[in-house]
Amino acid sequence: MGGFLILIGLLGIIVFIIMAIVSVFKRTGKAKKRLLLAVGCFVVMFIGGALMPDGKETTSSESKVQDKKDTSDEKAEAKVKAEAEAKAKAEAKVKAEAEAKAKEEAEAQRLAEEKKKQEEEAARLAAEQERIRKEEEAKALAAAEEERKRQEAEAQAAAQQQATNVYFKNCDAVRAAGVAPIRQGQPGYAKHLDRDGDGIGCDK
């Protein structure tokens, strides 16, 4: 703004001085008026000079502009750095979470496999115990059957022995023993007790 006023004022001074000189030579009587206008242009030029900033102000303004620019650059750099740090932290967090999740999954898989092995071992032991129990039951049944057969054999042998040892002299002895009539195959049966040979002794 100041430079524009100086330029206008300088041009006005030059123009009006030239016109005043021309008026003097032509004697038009306008020379004084044009000199006053030249003075006015000088005043305008002076005002423009007053409005012009001096070197210190310009330097100060430039310094302020530079400081603002530097501050802006610093803020931009700080912002970029902060964003980079935030991004790095976010990536580190994601990586840590992924590692933690992978570790948890691995631990869960290990526990599941260990549990499966324990269940398989428990099932194997149960099957082994069931097999042993069945074998013991089978052995016990076999032993009981053998004992029953042995006892039957002993009882049969004792009955045969008893049948061999029992002897009745006559039917009176049979009746006295309370086994009359006596049939063939019973202890004490003999042919002399069954005179009609029908297999029943002392029936009469």
Side-chain angles (χ1 to χ4, degrees):
M1 184 66 181
F4 178 73
L5 292 177
I6 291 173
L7 180 60
I8 294 298
L10 181 60
L11 291 175
I13 291 170
I14 295 171
V15 170
F16 289 121
I17 288 175
I18 293 172
M19 290 178 67
I21 294 171
V22 171
S23 297
V24 170
F25 284 107
K26 288 185 176 182
R27 296 181 180 183
T28 60
K30 295 181 180 180
K32 185 176 180 181
K33 184 178 180 181
R34 290 173 180 173
L35 286 175
L36 291 174
L37 290 173
V39 172
C41 290
F42 177 79
V43 172
V44 171
M45 188 177 67
F46 180 77
I47 293 171
L51 293 175
M52 283 290 291
D54 56 8
K56 292 182 178 180
E57 291 178 354
T58 303
T59 304
S60 177
S61 299
E62 292 176 355
S63 177
K64 288 180 180 179
V65 172
Q66 186 65 33
D67 290 342
K68 288 182 180 180
K69 184 178 179 181
D70 293 341
T71 303
S72 179
D73 292 341
E74 290 176 358
K75 287 182 178 180
E77 291 177 0
K79 184 178 180 181
V80 172
K81 185 176 180 181
E83 289 177 352
E85 290 177 354
K87 184 177 180 181
K89 288 181 180 180
E91 291 176 353
K93 184 179 180 181
V94 171
K95 184 178 179 181
E97 290 177 352
E99 290 177 353
K101 185 177 181 181
K103 187 175 180 181
E104 289 177 358
E105 290 177 353
E107 182 67 14
Q109 184 177 0
R110 185 187 67 80
L111 292 175
E113 291 177 354
E114 185 175 347
K115 183 179 179 181
K116 184 178 179 181
K117 288 181 180 179
Q118 290 177 353
E119 290 176 351
E120 290 176 351
E121 182 65 16
R124 187 188 66 79
L125 291 175
E128 182 68 17
Q129 291 176 355
E130 182 67 14
R131 183 186 65 78
I132 294 172
R133 184 184 66 80
K134 288 182 178 180
E135 288 180 355
E136 291 178 351
E137 287 181 355
K139 289 180 180 179
L141 290 174
E145 183 66 18
E146 290 179 0
E147 181 64 18
R148 185 184 65 79
K149 290 180 180 179
R150 185 185 65 78
Q151 290 178 358
E152 287 180 355
E154 289 179 355
Q156 186 176 3
Q160 290 177 357
Q161 183 68 26
Q162 184 178 3
T164 303
N165 293 336
V166 175
Y167 176 76
F168 294 110
K169 185 177 180 180
N170 51 39
C171 286
D172 292 335
V174 174
R175 293 186 184 94
V179 292
I182 187 169
R183 299 178 183 278
Q184 187 177 3
Q186 289 182 335
Y189 173 83
K191 290 183 178 181
H192 69 278
L193 301 175
D194 184 12
R195 293 186 183 278
D196 55 2
D198 61 353
I200 301 174
C202 303
D203 54 343
K204 295 181 180 180

